Amino acid sequence: MKIAVIGTGYVGLVTGVCLAETGNQVVCVDKDPHKLAQLRQGQIPIYEPGLEPIFRRVTSQGRLIFSENLEEAAARSELIFLALPTPEQEDGSADLSRVLAVTEILARLKDRRRLIITKSTVPVGTAARMKKLLEAEGSPAIVVSNPEFLREGFAIEDFMKPTRIVVGTSHPEAREIMARLYQPFVRQGNPIYFMSEESAELAKYAANAFLAMKISFMNELARLAEKCGANIDDVRLSMGADDRIGKRFLFAGLGYGGSCFPKDVKALAHTARSYGLTLALTEATLQVNDSQLEFFKNKIRQRFDGEIQGKTFAVWGLAFKPDTDDVREAPALKLIRWMLREGARIQAFDPEAFGNAWKEIPELPKINDMYAALEGADALVICTEWTQFRTPDFEKIAAALTRKIIFDGRNLYPPDQMRQLGFEYFSVGRL
Ligand code: NAD
């Protein structure tokens, strides 16, 4: 099939690459000329494991090309995917300006019937708004809601072998085309769920808010665990063994971050309010997440008697989670900004995300070794659970730090072992 993907970011690039891999002819469109220039030179602007070999194959074989020309790319395509940002607005709602502006442009194409397929996370009612815009222009296009569930760090695996594909459409022809498009990705029998546009839109927010709620629940329990002398890891293991609960998303830590959970939970709460409803669990999820970083900051504050000015902190991990270079809403960056405001010095290391973090906080000195970040620091603060931090050389850590203090926001090490090694060790929900 001939496909255009509008927006070539984390979702759009992966979508374009994977759809080209199964034989489609894909053009990825972006408004950022620098990004397009990089892509045309074979440079991949994001870190995503497994992306590169497929990218090389589909670009060298001419099945994936890049364009800044939305109209031209759309005109030659049967299917047009929207993978545009839908960031948070001040009132918590999702900013649909890009999705609607692009829809208005697409509405002018009337020579044939095309599918406009929304991969962006958009609130309930967006497909209906898009349909109205198309109808007003007399466009024959069909809107399909096809929310994306890929995880950064596993994006290729998730796209190629999705747990499920959700397709919101009331149109039989669109349903048939979408089934054909996704057939190569569900050969193992994973389901394609067809539903209304509204259900598909809500399903995406429901999934993200539920996962965020699991994290907030554990973070709240971690605070109680510390008060009553329980160990949140033991509690987690025992909970997770029950398959009604499941093992994942039960890790206490610094709170969720990233480009999706924070904005999507807020947008869901906002949507509910616009219907005169308060989603109490969703609102509480937000509140707990907001206070979790404060809870962690307090550990640092208290250890230094409220005086972190003039102290040097080594920070391991800047990405909002491992295996990505994405620092959007990363707890590490919030923590670093706070420490810098308080007058501390930061020596940060991340295996992949340093460049993106540095664009946000240019005062960070460039350090490309995890042990070099420790030199002369008063404490180590762990913000992202990259695999290489899991079994470090503790002797090297002890030798490089001026004081043997670790604040572990990801509960990477057993507290007993750390005490035996002579560290003052602060983690989350464990004494
Ligand atoms: P992103 O910021 O990485 O990429 C968006 C791209 O769109 C950028 O390259 C930007 O330059 C481009 N763009 C912006 N306006 C444009 C326009 N008018 N015309 C052409 N290009 C334009 O965003 P993302 O992380 O890929 O997210 C895209 C959508 O997918 C969001 O709604 C997000 O919530 C959703 N989503 C993201 C993930 C994820 O893990 N990142 C997962 C599922 C869903």
Side-chain angles (χ1 to χ4, degrees):
M1 293 184 216
K2 288 191 174 147
I3 296 174
V5 180
I6 319 299
T8 310
Y10 285 89
V11 169
L13 182 59
V14 169
T15 301
V17 163
C18 292
L19 290 175
E21 173 74 347
T22 54
N24 297 293
Q25 196 62 44
V26 182
V27 50
C28 271
V29 176
D30 207 280
K31 63 165 194 162
D32 178 347
H34 174 65
K35 188 177 270 190
L36 291 174
Q38 274 185 306
L39 287 162
R40 287 193 184 110
Q41 284 163 19
Q43 292 164 20
I44 302 176
I46 56 171
Y47 172 75
E48 187 57 55
L51 176 57
E52 190 167 345
I54 313 182
F55 175 89
R56 301 256 167 266
R57 184 160 49 237
V58 294
T59 49
S60 68
Q61 293 174 3
R63 285 201 303 281
L64 175 63
I65 58 167
F66 301 96
S67 172
E68 50 283 290
N69 192 328
L70 168 62
E71 287 90 341
E72 201 178 277
R76 41 162 279 182
S77 303
E78 306 150 72
L79 311 186
I80 302 165
F81 281 88
L82 306 188
L84 294 158
T86 48
E88 173 189 335
Q89 305 197 99
E90 239 169 56
D91 63 357
S93 63
D95 178 357
L96 295 177
S97 56
R98 296 165 189 81
V99 168
L100 298 177
V102 167
T103 306
E104 276 176 355
I105 295 170
L106 297 177
R108 291 184 218 133
L109 291 174
K110 299 174 195 167
D111 57 312
R112 57 179 293 184
R113 173 168 271 180
R114 295 179 173 82
L115 300 193
I116 302 178
I117 304 158
T118 312
K119 276 240 165 270
S120 298
T121 303
V122 294
V124 162
T126 305
R129 286 178 74 180
M130 292 166 68
K131 268 187 211 170
K132 271 198 189 139
L133 290 176
L134 294 165
E135 278 162 18
E137 277 289 333
S139 159
I142 302 169
V143 176
V144 176
S145 170
N146 175 214
E148 181 50 61
F149 294 93
L150 64 76
R151 298 161 297 167
E152 286 175 21
F154 301 91
I156 294 295
E157 198 182 316
D158 286 348
F159 199 99
M160 297 305 286
K161 291 185 181 169
T163 51
R164 79 294 206 189
I165 291 169
V166 170
V167 177
T169 178
S170 39
H171 209 287
E173 187 189 336
R175 184 185 163 124
E176 187 271 318
I177 295 170
M178 295 300 285
R180 210 155 19 97
L181 176 77
Y182 279 124
Q183 196 277 332
F185 301 95
V186 293
R187 284 166 52 84
Q188 285 179 345
N190 286 347
I192 303 181
Y193 293 118
F194 291 97
M195 57 187 75
S196 71
E197 292 83 345
E198 288 78 9
S199 301
E201 288 167 337
L202 188 55
K204 172 65 190 176
Y205 284 98
N208 275 3
F210 189 82
L211 294 171
M213 184 177 69
K214 281 180 94 173
I215 295 172
S216 276
F217 183 77
M218 293 310 287
N219 280 334
E220 211 172 26
L221 274 191
R223 300 181 207 173
L224 175 61
E226 282 187 16
K227 291 266 185 226
C228 67
N231 178 324
I232 195 66
D233 272 346
D234 293 335
V235 175
R236 169 179 62 79
L237 289 171
S238 125
M239 287 170 70
D242 183 334
D243 59 17
R244 292 172 304 175
I245 296 173
K247 294 184 172 55
R248 302 168 66 187
F249 282 80
L250 294 182
F251 289 84
L254 299 176
Y256 57 79
S259 67
C260 293
F261 284 8
K263 80 171 172 64
D264 292 349
V265 177
K266 282 185 206 156
L268 179 62
H270 185 276
T271 299
R273 277 185 246 121
S274 75
Y275 284 95
L277 288 176
T278 302
L279 297 186
L281 292 175
T282 306
E283 303 274 0
T285 298
L286 282 170
Q287 283 160 19
V288 172
N289 200 57
D290 284 346
S291 56
Q292 187 65 10
L293 205 58
E294 286 307 311
F295 167 73
F296 193 72
K297 281 183 198 167
N298 271 337
K299 289 175 188 276
I300 301 176
R301 235 185 239 120
Q302 276 168 17
R303 171 57 188 81
F304 291 104
D305 301 320
E307 193 53 61
I308 68 165
Q309 188 179 18
K311 306 283 182 308
T312 301
F313 292 94
V315 175
W316 279 1
L318 296 165
F320 82 93
K321 64 172 189 176
D323 299 316
T324 180
D325 60 350
D326 195 346
V327 298
R328 291 177 283 185
E329 296 285 320
L333 267 54
K334 293 183 185 168
L335 204 61
I336 289 172
R337 285 198 178 97
W338 165 70
M339 293 195 281
L340 288 172
R341 268 198 313 276
E342 296 282 314
R345 277 187 302 273
I346 304 294
Q347 299 173 172
F349 168 80
D350 187 286
E352 295 295 338
F354 187 86
N356 283 339
W358 188 79
K359 283 184 211 150
E360 300 281 323
I361 311 178
E363 51 268 59
L364 290 177
K366 291 186 177 164
I367 295 172
N368 50 20
D369 175 78
M370 61 192 256
Y371 295 104
L374 303 168
E375 285 304 328
D378 293 279
L380 164 64
V381 183
I382 300 174
C383 291
T384 316
E385 63 277 34
W386 284 95
T387 312
Q388 73 188 81
F389 302 152
R390 287 180 190 273
T391 43
D393 183 335
F394 287 110
E395 279 180 22
K396 254 173 126 170
I397 297 178
L401 291 173
T402 56
R403 310 187 211 199
K404 291 170 73 175
I405 305 175
I406 299 180
F407 298 96
D408 179 359
R410 299 296 174 186
N411 288 355
L412 294 188
Y413 317 124
D416 287 347
Q417 182 200 345
M418 299 309 287
R419 270 191 288 275
Q420 276 164 20
L421 291 170
F423 284 94
E424 271 183 74
Y425 179 66
F426 302 88
S427 55
V428 181
R430 310 174 314 162
L431 295 176

